[in-house]
Each structure stands twice: as C-alpha cells, then as structure tokens.
Amino acid sequence: MKSSRHVLASTFVLFALAAVLAGCGLTPASGPSRDQMVEGGATWTDERGAAPFVWVEIDDRTLDWLARRPPATLRGFFGDYRPSATQVIGVGDSLQVTVWEAASGGLFSASDGGHVSPGARSSLIPEQTVGRDGSITVPYAGRIRVAGRTQQQVEAAVVERLQGKAIEPQALVNISRNISNTATVTGEVANGARVPLSARGDRLLDVIAAAGGYRSPVHETFISLTRGGRTARAPLQALLANPSENIFIRAGDILTVESRPQTFTVAGATGVNAVIPFDARGVALDEAIGKAGGLNDNRADANGLFVLRYEPAEVVRGFANAPHRLPAEQMAPVAYHLNMRDPGALFAARRFAMHDKDIIYVSNAPLAEIGKVVQLIQTVAQPAVQAYAIGRIAH
C-alpha cells in the first residue's frame, strides 16, 4: 500500500513539474503558443506604444471585407483603355519623301539624253532621320518641321513650300523607321525589343507576342506597365481571365514581364514545414493546409491556426479591432486566426484566399508541451531508475 502511494505521489509530482516547466517555456517548441499569440496581439507593445500586430478572427465579416478588396488591375489604375490617338512623327523617326510634278522639265524631272519625256515626273529624296530640332530637309523647300505632325500634315507642308517652284507638286511621306511610336518590352520574353505600334492600335498581349511571347509559366508571370512615370503590376492570369484588362498600349510605354514564383511558408504543428509554391493562382487556405500535410494530430492545437501577412493600411482600417495608431508605413502586420475545432472553419478556409509570402503557423497543443517535459524527465531519470532496480536485485 505504501509503495502504491509512493508511486502515485511520484507520478503527481512528475506531472506537476512537467506543467511548470511547460508553462515556463523551458521545453523545445516550434513557436509561440496560442495564448502567447493572443497576448501578443492584444497587450504587447513596441517602443511606439502600438501592438506588434493586429489580431483578426477569420469569420464571415472578415471574409466579406476582404472580398471587397479590388484585385490588381491595369485598366483600373490607368483609367483610359481606348486606342491611342492618331500617330504623329517624332524625333528619331526615319522618313522617305517622294515628290511628283505634273509635267516634265520641272525641278524634280530628269532629262533623257537632252530629250524631255512628257508626263509626270517624280523624285525620291534619300531617307532622313528627324533631327533634334524636329525637322527634315527637302530640296528647294528647306527645313520643314515634322515632329508632332501626321504624315498627311507633312505632305501638305512640303507641297506648300514647293508652290511656285515646282510644276503642280505632289508629295508622299513614308515613315520607314518608327522610333517615337513604339513600346519597349523587357524581362521574361523571348526577344526584348522596341515594338512599333500600328495605327489601328495594339493591345498589351499583342505587343508581348510581337516580342516573342513570355517564357515563364502563366501563374508565375506578372506584367508591369510603366506610363508617364507611373507603374502598375498585374498577374498575367488576370489579363487572360478578363479581356478588358488587355488594354491598349501607348507610345513610350514600358512593359516588363516578370517571373515571380508565388510561395507561402508553413511552420509549426503541421505535416510539413516548408516553403510551398503555388501551382495555380487563387490558392485557398484549405488547399494550402492540404499541401502542408494537414495538422499534426499528435501536436497541433486545432484552435491555434494563424495566417500571418502584411496588409495595406486601408484594409486594416476596415477591421472592427483596428488600432487607432497604424504604423507610419503603408503596410501593417496582421495575424488572422481560425479555430479549426469549429465545423464552420472548413467553409471559412475555402473562402480565405492565400497571398504570396503568407505564413501559416499552427501552435502546439498545451498537452503536447507537457508530454515533451514528461518524456524529457523520463529520459533523464531512466538511468537512475535502472541503477536503483539493479541495487535492489543485488541485495
């Protein structure tokens, strides 16, 4: 009887010691517990007196608010999606000018062995590049400003300058090398180049195709458009899914095709701790958990699943518990919490969209921490127990 009481007391002391050690944080762990995360988002403060992150429950209200967040869109950023206006000649373009006269014997007519043939005569003026002054030279007409004018306007200007000098002159202007009406395509394309824009208007995907097309997988490809000192980025899949996003390109636009593999990190009590790539755009939280091998049955606190990310300040302000003082920077850290013990959490996880560089963290269950201490104490005490048993047998 005395021995049974001794064993029971020893067991009680062992578990009490385990609980104390687990509570003191002296045991190995993969990260903070759920209680520590709750405390961190509610009471801890940094040197500015603000909580280090915002705690947000993943519920219907949160999901509805996040669903209102507009996706990255080029049309929404640049506004005007119509084709560009009529193309005009610019500095650096190369022009060919042909001048006709109504009869032979004029300035641009050539004699054949002293005999003048009847009929109209023409002369092709050698190709010229529009100078920095925006002008070209036409014989007998002098320097004519062409920059900022259409081909038809330049033709009229040449004819006007030749009136009274040539016989009923007519002119034809051809842009042999178009530099000013081009878009630059760089990055993950087969052939980065300046792509001439046609007069009818060219859309974004047309220009990329003219540069040889993109080389990276669709779900990893992003398009950055720089226009007038402003830059916007959108995923290629958004352009393919919504034709209105395939906007018209303007002269001087810069298109950069980027390969940006989308990944999220999984840590804590899950089947796999790793950096996991998206295999498609629009991975939901339930799919991300599945890719991580699910929650570890032996360790995971089902009420301790968190998604950590930086959100724009305007998004954070829409949460009920948004702090009055947001960080001076435009992005604020947010810890989204989901209680996987709630059956409705499975449906909420389907609606919660993962973002690039999100962190999924699952904390250990409290009993799992105590179990670690028990195992540690047993490992340390085992040699002493064996020595005691051997001594008893020897006596």
Side-chain angles (χ1 to χ4, degrees):
M1 184 69 178
K2 184 177 180 181
S3 176
S4 298
R5 289 179 179 176
H6 179 72
V7 171
L8 182 61
S10 300
T11 304
F12 177 77
V13 171
L14 179 65
F15 275 96
L17 179 61
V20 172
L21 292 176
C24 293
L26 299 178
T27 56
S30 58
S33 66
R34 177 189 175 278
D35 291 341
Q36 289 172 327
M37 289 291 294
V38 173
E39 183 182 4
T43 60
W44 289 355
T45 57
D46 58 15
E47 64 276 4
R48 299 171 299 181
F53 58 84
V54 181
W55 171 283
V56 179
E57 287 288 342
I58 299 179
D59 52 23
D60 288 340
R61 186 179 184 282
T62 297
L63 293 171
D64 290 342
W65 172 247
L66 292 176
R68 298 177 191 173
R69 181 180 180 182
T73 167
L74 297 177
R75 177 177 176 179
F77 187 82
F78 290 106
D80 192 359
Y81 58 90
R82 298 169 298 176
S84 58
T86 303
Q87 291 186 354
V88 295
I89 298 168
V91 175
D93 291 347
S94 295
L95 305 182
Q96 282 189 333
V97 180
T98 305
V99 178
W100 279 269
E101 291 184 282
S104 59
L107 295 174
F108 299 94
S109 301
S111 61
D112 183 13
H115 300 282
V116 177
S117 301
R121 291 297 183 187
S122 65
S123 178
L124 176 63
I125 299 172
E127 181 181 271
Q128 297 181 69
T129 299
V130 179
R132 291 186 177 275
D133 63 349
S135 304
I136 61 171
T137 299
V138 176
Y140 305 107
R143 296 288 287 176
I144 298 178
R145 182 165 184 82
V146 297
R149 294 180 171 182
T150 64
Q151 293 171 252
Q152 294 76 17
Q153 291 172 332
V154 175
E155 290 168 356
V158 172
V159 170
E160 182 181 1
R161 289 284 191 92
L162 292 177
Q163 289 291 347
K165 300 177 183 179
I167 304 172
E168 298 182 20
Q170 297 292 321
L172 177 65
V173 175
N174 179 50
I175 303 176
S176 55
R177 188 163 177 260
N178 195 338
I179 295 297
S180 59
N181 292 289
T182 60
T184 302
V185 185
T186 64
E188 293 295 320
V189 290
N191 299 297
R194 277 182 171 178
V195 177
L197 302 178
S198 63
R200 69 175 180 83
D202 298 280
R203 294 183 181 269
L204 187 149
L205 292 179
D206 297 331
V207 175
I208 293 176
Y214 46 85
R215 297 185 298 183
S216 52
V218 171
H219 65 275
E220 295 181 0
T221 303
F222 285 73
I223 310 297
S224 293
L225 173 59
T226 301
R227 175 184 294 171
R230 304 170 66 211
T231 300
R233 178 185 293 111
L236 176 61
Q237 283 194 337
L239 276 69
L240 299 177
N242 185 3
S244 66
E245 283 299 300
N246 187 23
I247 62 176
F248 283 96
I249 297 300
R250 302 293 179 86
D253 284 355
I254 300 175
L255 285 172
T256 304
V257 181
E258 304 172 81
S259 176
R260 299 181 59 190
Q262 307 288 284
T263 61
F264 62 92
T265 302
V266 182
T270 59
V272 176
N273 284 188
V275 177
I276 300 177
F278 286 35
D279 56 10
R281 182 172 177 263
V283 175
L285 178 56
D286 63 323
E287 297 171 317
I289 295 172
K291 290 177 181 293
L295 275 60
N296 189 319
D297 290 342
N298 298 322
R299 295 172 46 205
D301 181 357
N303 192 19
L305 186 148
F306 304 90
V307 178
L308 312 177
R309 74 165 61 132
Y310 281 88
E311 291 281 21
E314 62 268 19
V315 174
V316 177
R317 291 190 184 98
F319 298 134
N321 62 332
H324 296 292
R325 286 184 58 192
L326 285 175
E329 54 270 20
Q330 294 300 311
M331 305 296 286
V334 178
Y336 292 100
H337 170 250
L338 185 64
N339 181 8
M340 293 297 288
R341 295 188 184 277
D342 180 3
L346 300 176
F347 296 97
R350 165 57 60 177
R351 293 180 57 194
F352 188 89
M354 296 293 293
H355 292 179
D356 183 32
K357 303 303 180 288
D358 277 357
I359 300 174
I360 296 178
Y361 173 70
V362 181
S363 62
N364 286 341
L367 286 179
E369 300 297 333
I370 295 177
K372 290 180 182 179
V373 179
V374 171
Q375 185 179 8
L376 178 62
I377 294 175
Q378 288 177 340
T379 301
V380 174
Q382 188 68 26
V385 173
Q386 290 177 347
Y388 176 77
I390 292 172
R392 295 271 296 183
I393 294 173
H395 287 83

mmCIF file of all heavy atoms in Angstrom, residues 276-304:
data_model
loop_
_atom_site.group_PDB
_atom_site.id
_atom_site.type_symbol
_atom_site.label_atom_id
_atom_site.label_comp_id
_atom_site.label_asym_id
_atom_site.label_seq_id
_atom_site.Cartn_x
_atom_site.Cartn_y
_atom_site.Cartn_z
ATOM 1 N N ILE A 276 6.257 26.479 -49.751
ATOM 2 C CA ILE A 276 5.491 25.721 -50.741
ATOM 3 C C ILE A 276 5.077 26.653 -51.878
ATOM 4 O O ILE A 276 4.498 27.715 -51.627
ATOM 5 C CB ILE A 276 4.247 25.086 -50.096
ATOM 6 C CG1 ILE A 276 4.676 24.141 -48.963
ATOM 7 C CG2 ILE A 276 3.424 24.338 -51.135
ATOM 8 C CD1 ILE A 276 3.522 23.530 -48.220
ATOM 9 N N PRO A 277 5.365 26.292 -53.116
ATOM 10 C CA PRO A 277 4.974 27.148 -54.251
ATOM 11 C C PRO A 277 3.498 26.976 -54.589
ATOM 12 O O PRO A 277 2.903 25.914 -54.381
ATOM 13 C CB PRO A 277 5.868 26.634 -55.389
ATOM 14 C CG PRO A 277 6.110 25.197 -55.043
ATOM 15 C CD PRO A 277 6.155 25.121 -53.549
ATOM 16 N N PHE A 278 2.904 28.051 -55.108
ATOM 17 C CA PHE A 278 1.556 27.955 -55.667
ATOM 18 C C PHE A 278 1.680 27.206 -57.000
ATOM 19 O O PHE A 278 2.572 27.483 -57.791
ATOM 20 C CB PHE A 278 1.001 29.346 -55.959
ATOM 21 C CG PHE A 278 0.582 30.134 -54.743
ATOM 22 C CD1 PHE A 278 1.262 30.033 -53.548
ATOM 23 C CD2 PHE A 278 -0.493 30.992 -54.810
ATOM 24 C CE1 PHE A 278 0.896 30.768 -52.448
ATOM 25 C CE2 PHE A 278 -0.879 31.749 -53.705
ATOM 26 C CZ PHE A 278 -0.184 31.636 -52.526
ATOM 27 N N ASP A 279 0.767 26.288 -57.250
ATOM 28 C CA ASP A 279 0.753 25.674 -58.574
ATOM 29 C C ASP A 279 -0.337 26.293 -59.448
ATOM 30 O O ASP A 279 -0.530 25.912 -60.582
ATOM 31 C CB ASP A 279 0.566 24.161 -58.493
ATOM 32 C CG ASP A 279 -0.695 23.775 -57.724
ATOM 33 O OD1 ASP A 279 -1.501 24.667 -57.435
ATOM 34 O OD2 ASP A 279 -0.846 22.585 -57.411
ATOM 35 N N ALA A 280 -1.055 27.237 -58.898
ATOM 36 C CA ALA A 280 -2.070 27.965 -59.663
ATOM 37 C C ALA A 280 -2.410 29.231 -58.898
ATOM 38 O O ALA A 280 -2.124 29.355 -57.717
ATOM 39 C CB ALA A 280 -3.323 27.109 -59.855
ATOM 40 N N ARG A 281 -3.005 30.169 -59.613
ATOM 41 C CA ARG A 281 -3.416 31.405 -58.969
ATOM 42 C C ARG A 281 -4.707 31.173 -58.210
ATOM 43 O O ARG A 281 -5.595 30.476 -58.655
ATOM 44 C CB ARG A 281 -3.614 32.494 -60.029
ATOM 45 C CG ARG A 281 -4.004 33.851 -59.447
ATOM 46 C CD ARG A 281 -3.993 34.900 -60.544
ATOM 47 N NE ARG A 281 -4.426 36.195 -60.052
ATOM 48 C CZ ARG A 281 -5.663 36.661 -60.182
ATOM 49 N NH1 ARG A 281 -6.565 35.924 -60.791
ATOM 50 N NH2 ARG A 281 -5.981 37.848 -59.726
ATOM 51 N N GLY A 282 -4.817 31.754 -57.014
ATOM 52 C CA GLY A 282 -6.044 31.646 -56.251
ATOM 53 C C GLY A 282 -6.082 30.461 -55.312
ATOM 54 O O GLY A 282 -7.117 29.816 -55.180
ATOM 55 N N VAL A 283 -4.973 30.122 -54.654
ATOM 56 C CA VAL A 283 -4.944 29.028 -53.689
ATOM 57 C C VAL A 283 -5.675 29.469 -52.430
ATOM 58 O O VAL A 283 -5.388 30.531 -51.859
ATOM 59 C CB VAL A 283 -3.497 28.619 -53.355
ATOM 60 C CG1 VAL A 283 -3.475 27.559 -52.260
ATOM 61 C CG2 VAL A 283 -2.810 28.098 -54.605
ATOM 62 N N ALA A 284 -6.633 28.666 -51.970
ATOM 63 C CA ALA A 284 -7.381 28.975 -50.758
ATOM 64 C C ALA A 284 -6.682 28.358 -49.549
ATOM 65 O O ALA A 284 -5.815 27.489 -49.676
ATOM 66 C CB ALA A 284 -8.814 28.460 -50.868
ATOM 67 N N LEU A 285 -7.090 28.803 -48.344
ATOM 68 C CA LEU A 285 -6.447 28.340 -47.124
ATOM 69 C C LEU A 285 -6.594 26.833 -46.939
ATOM 70 O O LEU A 285 -5.648 26.169 -46.503
ATOM 71 C CB LEU A 285 -7.030 29.085 -45.919
ATOM 72 C CG LEU A 285 -6.508 28.685 -44.539
ATOM 73 C CD1 LEU A 285 -4.990 28.800 -44.468
ATOM 74 C CD2 LEU A 285 -7.164 29.539 -43.460
ATOM 75 N N ASP A 286 -7.752 26.275 -47.262
ATOM 76 C CA ASP A 286 -7.924 24.823 -47.100
ATOM 77 C C ASP A 286 -6.981 24.039 -48.022
ATOM 78 O O ASP A 286 -6.433 23.007 -47.633
ATOM 79 C CB ASP A 286 -9.379 24.423 -47.350
ATOM 80 C CG ASP A 286 -9.821 24.709 -48.771
ATOM 81 O OD1 ASP A 286 -9.401 25.745 -49.330
ATOM 82 O OD2 ASP A 286 -10.575 23.901 -49.348
ATOM 83 N N GLU A 287 -6.769 24.568 -49.237
ATOM 84 C CA GLU A 287 -5.827 23.908 -50.150
ATOM 85 C C GLU A 287 -4.398 24.032 -49.636
ATOM 86 O O GLU A 287 -3.603 23.090 -49.750
ATOM 87 C CB GLU A 287 -5.945 24.526 -51.536
ATOM 88 C CG GLU A 287 -7.310 24.334 -52.187
ATOM 89 C CD GLU A 287 -7.467 25.152 -53.456
ATOM 90 O OE1 GLU A 287 -7.063 26.324 -53.457
ATOM 91 O OE2 GLU A 287 -7.994 24.605 -54.445
ATOM 92 N N ALA A 288 -4.071 25.189 -49.071
ATOM 93 C CA ALA A 288 -2.728 25.395 -48.532
ATOM 94 C C ALA A 288 -2.462 24.444 -47.364
ATOM 95 O O ALA A 288 -1.371 23.889 -47.238
ATOM 96 C CB ALA A 288 -2.562 26.844 -48.087
ATOM 97 N N ILE A 289 -3.470 24.240 -46.503
ATOM 98 C CA ILE A 289 -3.312 23.299 -45.392
ATOM 99 C C ILE A 289 -3.099 21.890 -45.922
ATOM 100 O O ILE A 289 -2.282 21.122 -45.412
ATOM 101 C CB ILE A 289 -4.541 23.361 -44.468
ATOM 102 C CG1 ILE A 289 -4.629 24.734 -43.800
ATOM 103 C CG2 ILE A 289 -4.488 22.268 -43.409
ATOM 104 C CD1 ILE A 289 -5.913 24.954 -43.018
ATOM 105 N N GLY A 290 -3.837 21.542 -46.977
ATOM 106 C CA GLY A 290 -3.669 20.222 -47.576
ATOM 107 C C GLY A 290 -2.282 20.030 -48.158
ATOM 108 O O GLY A 290 -1.688 18.952 -48.027
ATOM 109 N N LYS A 291 -1.742 21.077 -48.797
ATOM 110 C CA LYS A 291 -0.389 20.980 -49.354
ATOM 111 C C LYS A 291 0.656 20.797 -48.255
ATOM 112 O O LYS A 291 1.731 20.239 -48.503
ATOM 113 C CB LYS A 291 -0.066 22.229 -50.173
ATOM 114 C CG LYS A 291 -0.840 22.361 -51.477
ATOM 115 C CD LYS A 291 -0.492 23.663 -52.170
ATOM 116 C CE LYS A 291 -1.272 23.823 -53.471
ATOM 117 N NZ LYS A 291 -0.863 22.813 -54.474
ATOM 118 N N ALA A 292 0.338 21.279 -47.046
ATOM 119 C CA ALA A 292 1.268 21.157 -45.919
ATOM 120 C C ALA A 292 1.096 19.851 -45.164
ATOM 121 O O ALA A 292 1.720 19.650 -44.117
ATOM 122 C CB ALA A 292 1.086 22.325 -44.963
ATOM 123 N N GLY A 293 0.256 18.962 -45.660
ATOM 124 C CA GLY A 293 0.060 17.676 -44.997
ATOM 125 C C GLY A 293 -0.935 17.715 -43.858
ATOM 126 O O GLY A 293 -1.021 16.764 -43.066
ATOM 127 N N GLY A 294 -1.697 18.792 -43.743
ATOM 128 C CA GLY A 294 -2.690 18.908 -42.698
ATOM 129 C C GLY A 294 -2.082 19.184 -41.332
ATOM 130 O O GLY A 294 -0.868 19.330 -41.181
ATOM 131 N N LEU A 295 -2.945 19.269 -40.315
ATOM 132 C CA LEU A 295 -2.482 19.481 -38.954
ATOM 133 C C LEU A 295 -1.951 18.177 -38.365
ATOM 134 O O LEU A 295 -2.500 17.093 -38.627
ATOM 135 C CB LEU A 295 -3.609 20.025 -38.081
ATOM 136 C CG LEU A 295 -3.826 21.552 -38.090
ATOM 137 C CD1 LEU A 295 -4.147 22.052 -39.499
ATOM 138 C CD2 LEU A 295 -4.931 21.947 -37.124
ATOM 139 N N ASN A 296 -0.897 18.270 -37.566
ATOM 140 C CA ASN A 296 -0.310 17.104 -36.921
ATOM 141 C C ASN A 296 -1.191 16.676 -35.747
ATOM 142 O O ASN A 296 -1.343 17.409 -34.772
ATOM 143 C CB ASN A 296 1.103 17.444 -36.428
ATOM 144 C CG ASN A 296 1.860 16.227 -35.943
ATOM 145 O OD1 ASN A 296 1.306 15.373 -35.281
ATOM 146 N ND2 ASN A 296 3.143 16.163 -36.266
ATOM 147 N N ASP A 297 -1.777 15.473 -35.820
ATOM 148 C CA ASP A 297 -2.703 15.000 -34.783
ATOM 149 C C ASP A 297 -2.054 14.918 -33.407
ATOM 150 O O ASP A 297 -2.725 15.060 -32.385
ATOM 151 C CB ASP A 297 -3.274 13.630 -35.156
ATOM 152 C CG ASP A 297 -4.238 13.701 -36.328
ATOM 153 O OD1 ASP A 297 -4.718 14.816 -36.611
ATOM 154 O OD2 ASP A 297 -4.503 12.662 -36.955
ATOM 155 N N ASN A 298 -0.768 14.653 -33.352
ATOM 156 C CA ASN A 298 -0.084 14.449 -32.074
ATOM 157 C C ASN A 298 0.374 15.757 -31.423
ATOM 158 O O ASN A 298 0.728 15.757 -30.246
ATOM 159 C CB ASN A 298 1.129 13.533 -32.267
ATOM 160 C CG ASN A 298 0.741 12.157 -32.752
ATOM 161 O OD1 ASN A 298 -0.275 11.606 -32.336
ATOM 162 N ND2 ASN A 298 1.537 11.614 -33.671
ATOM 163 N N ARG A 299 0.393 16.839 -32.169
ATOM 164 C CA ARG A 299 0.950 18.082 -31.637
ATOM 165 C C ARG A 299 0.040 19.280 -31.775
ATOM 166 O O ARG A 299 0.086 20.195 -30.951
ATOM 167 C CB ARG A 299 2.268 18.407 -32.350
ATOM 168 C CG ARG A 299 3.396 17.445 -32.147
ATOM 169 C CD ARG A 299 4.549 17.815 -33.079
ATOM 170 N NE ARG A 299 4.828 19.248 -33.060
ATOM 171 C CZ ARG A 299 5.404 19.906 -34.063
ATOM 172 N NH1 ARG A 299 5.746 19.266 -35.165
ATOM 173 N NH2 ARG A 299 5.635 21.210 -33.966
ATOM 174 N N ALA A 300 -0.750 19.351 -32.807
ATOM 175 C CA ALA A 300 -1.409 20.591 -33.193
ATOM 176 C C ALA A 300 -2.513 20.998 -32.229
ATOM 177 O O ALA A 300 -3.277 20.162 -31.723
ATOM 178 C CB ALA A 300 -1.975 20.465 -34.601
ATOM 179 N N ASP A 301 -2.586 22.294 -31.983
ATOM 180 C CA ASP A 301 -3.722 22.910 -31.306
ATOM 181 C C ASP A 301 -4.684 23.361 -32.404
ATOM 182 O O ASP A 301 -4.406 24.311 -33.130
ATOM 183 C CB ASP A 301 -3.247 24.098 -30.467
ATOM 184 C CG ASP A 301 -4.384 24.779 -29.715
ATOM 185 O OD1 ASP A 301 -5.545 24.369 -29.896
ATOM 186 O OD2 ASP A 301 -4.107 25.721 -28.959
ATOM 187 N N ALA A 302 -5.807 22.657 -32.523
ATOM 188 C CA ALA A 302 -6.736 22.957 -33.616
ATOM 189 C C ALA A 302 -7.300 24.367 -33.512
ATOM 190 O O ALA A 302 -7.806 24.914 -34.493
ATOM 191 C CB ALA A 302 -7.879 21.942 -33.627
ATOM 192 N N ASN A 303 -7.205 24.966 -32.327
ATOM 193 C CA ASN A 303 -7.660 26.340 -32.132
ATOM 194 C C ASN A 303 -6.504 27.331 -32.260
ATOM 195 O O ASN A 303 -6.614 28.483 -31.864
ATOM 196 C CB ASN A 303 -8.323 26.492 -30.759
ATOM 197 C CG ASN A 303 -9.066 27.811 -30.620
ATOM 198 O OD1 ASN A 303 -9.391 28.463 -31.612
ATOM 199 N ND2 ASN A 303 -9.326 28.209 -29.391
ATOM 200 N N GLY A 304 -5.406 26.874 -32.807
ATOM 201 C CA GLY A 304 -4.219 27.717 -32.889
ATOM 202 C C GLY A 304 -3.660 27.827 -34.286
ATOM 203 O O GLY A 304 -2.444 27.775 -34.475
#
